[in-house]
Amino acid sequence: MKRFADLQPLVLAVFLLSLIPAVALANVPIFFVFATVRVTLWWTVLVAIAIEAVVLWAVFDMPARRAGLAAILVNIGTAALGFVIYPAAGLAVYPLLAPVVSEVFGAGDIVEIAAYCVAAAVIDTPVELALLAGLSRAAGYGLRFGWQRAGAFFLANLLSAAVLFAALQVEVRTKPVSEATKRILASEMGAQLALADDVFAALPAHVDAAGVIDPDWAGGIAARARDLGVLELTVGTGADFVTILRAELPPIGYGLAYTYEEDQRYGDATVTRGTIRRHENRDPVGGEVREVVHYQKVGGCGAFECFLRAVLPWPGPGSVSPE
């Protein structure tokens, strides 16, 4: 134990230094997804630690107290490294896997959330095993690693992901929009929301047996959406995605960055406040900011799950000064 105590300042220093990349990665959306979820649903982290401690005790033959301490330290290390690993993995893998996941499992918020949770388990397992091996060498635990033990640790991470997924499903459905927001949505955004609801209700009638959306029907909605000030409008099934109206793309050398706040329920839809920021590549944190509402609906569509996602301007000034 003395040998381990001598390493505690080093472990703390590594943890603090690993937080530095968070500043550089602050504009990567996947970072906010994991950071927000883990902070908001903090108790799921405690459940994950408990699950891993049981695996370390039952499968790795560690004493119960040491297994609990090791699980805590490994999760601290994973949380710190996640500031780098999650965004890098997301940027590298998402463009390749997203179409495959959508084609096999369909599209919608449930599929997307499940994919994030499974991806977290896949990423966390080798990272935690590497940290566990380093801890074992540093503290003299003498742990042995093999495919069976690695598999058990992966199953523990999948179980933790399942707990997180279930918690997210409950959490979203228990947070309706505030009364003030409800009044604004009903009075000042009624026309845009009505259009989105009409499009979603009509979608099943314009999908063929293979799940492909009628492009002529989708194209005919674009003008109506544009006249109402809708910024983006996308519909999809398990087999097809159609962007009915796309946000005006900026000139070459500029980009669009989206932010998302907390999901809230508005009837059978999910409402998320956020912003769209137009920026120059050389100035990624500057530029015009427009406050928006992300409005999403998901439901049955024959053999598929249909979804609609609309980006609507939030009533008020069109932009605010950059922070």
Side-chain angles (χ1 to χ4, degrees):
M1 289 299 294
K2 184 177 184 303
R3 184 178 179 184
F4 177 75
D6 292 339
L7 290 173
Q8 287 182 347
L10 177 60
V11 172
L12 178 60
V14 171
F15 173 73
L16 294 176
L17 289 173
S18 65
L19 297 181
I20 295 175
V23 178
L25 296 167
N27 291 313
V28 181
I30 197 171
F31 165 77
F32 286 106
V33 171
F34 285 104
T36 301
V37 166
R38 294 296 171 87
V39 171
T40 303
L41 301 177
W42 56 268
W43 60 269
T44 63
V45 178
L46 300 181
V47 172
I49 291 173
I51 292 172
E52 291 180 5
V54 170
V55 171
L56 291 174
W57 168 72
V59 180
F60 286 74
D61 298 323
M62 295 182 71
R65 184 175 180 181
R66 182 176 292 179
L69 181 60
I72 292 173
L73 292 175
V74 164
N75 274 273
I76 290 175
T78 305
L81 294 174
F83 283 96
V84 177
I85 294 173
Y86 285 143
L91 291 174
V93 177
Y94 183 83
L96 300 176
L97 291 185
V100 177
V101 171
S102 299
E103 183 174 350
V104 175
F105 297 101
D109 58 350
I110 294 179
V111 173
E112 188 172 346
I113 292 172
Y116 274 129
C117 292
V118 173
V122 172
I123 294 171
D124 283 350
T125 299
V127 174
E128 290 184 342
L129 286 173
L131 291 173
L132 190 60
L135 177 62
S136 176
R137 287 194 298 269
Y141 290 164
L143 296 180
R144 295 180 179 274
F145 297 85
W147 287 110
Q148 289 183 336
R149 288 184 169 182
F153 212 76
F154 176 61
L155 290 177
N157 274 289
L158 280 180
L159 181 57
S160 299
V163 171
L164 178 60
F165 175 76
L168 281 169
Q169 297 308 301
V170 173
E171 186 78 5
V172 169
R173 285 159 178 75
T174 57
K175 290 192 174 180
V177 296
S178 66
E179 290 301 318
T181 299
K182 188 182 296 185
R183 285 194 295 270
I184 293 175
L185 292 173
S187 62
E188 300 188 49
M189 302 181 66
Q192 294 97 325
L193 298 184
L195 172 65
D197 291 342
D198 290 344
V199 171
F200 183 73
L203 180 56
H206 298 279
V207 176
D208 64 18
V212 177
I213 300 167
D214 181 1
D216 294 331
W217 168 78
I221 301 168
R224 292 172 54 198
R226 188 178 294 107
D227 289 342
L228 289 174
V230 175
L231 301 177
E232 285 189 1
L233 182 60
T234 302
V235 292
T237 67
D240 194 17
F241 298 86
V242 175
T243 299
I244 294 175
L245 181 64
R246 188 184 303 276
E248 181 182 354
L249 296 177
I252 295 176
Y254 290 75
L256 293 177
Y258 296 74
T259 67
Y260 306 87
E261 296 178 4
E262 188 176 55
D263 287 348
Q264 297 176 316
R265 300 296 291 184
Y266 181 61
D268 60 349
T270 300
V271 173
T272 309
R273 291 284 304 275
T275 64
I276 296 180
R277 184 192 297 272
R278 179 176 297 202
H279 61 76
E280 295 184 62
N281 290 341
R282 64 176 181 271
D283 184 19
V285 297
E288 181 188 47
V289 178
R290 185 161 194 176
E291 297 183 21
V292 298
V293 168
H294 303 273
Y295 184 78
Q296 182 169 303
K297 303 191 74 170
V298 180
C301 196
F304 303 96
E305 183 181 59
C306 285
F307 82 96
L308 173 142
R309 183 173 295 155
V311 181
L312 311 171
W314 182 251
S319 64
V320 297
S321 300
E323 292 87 337

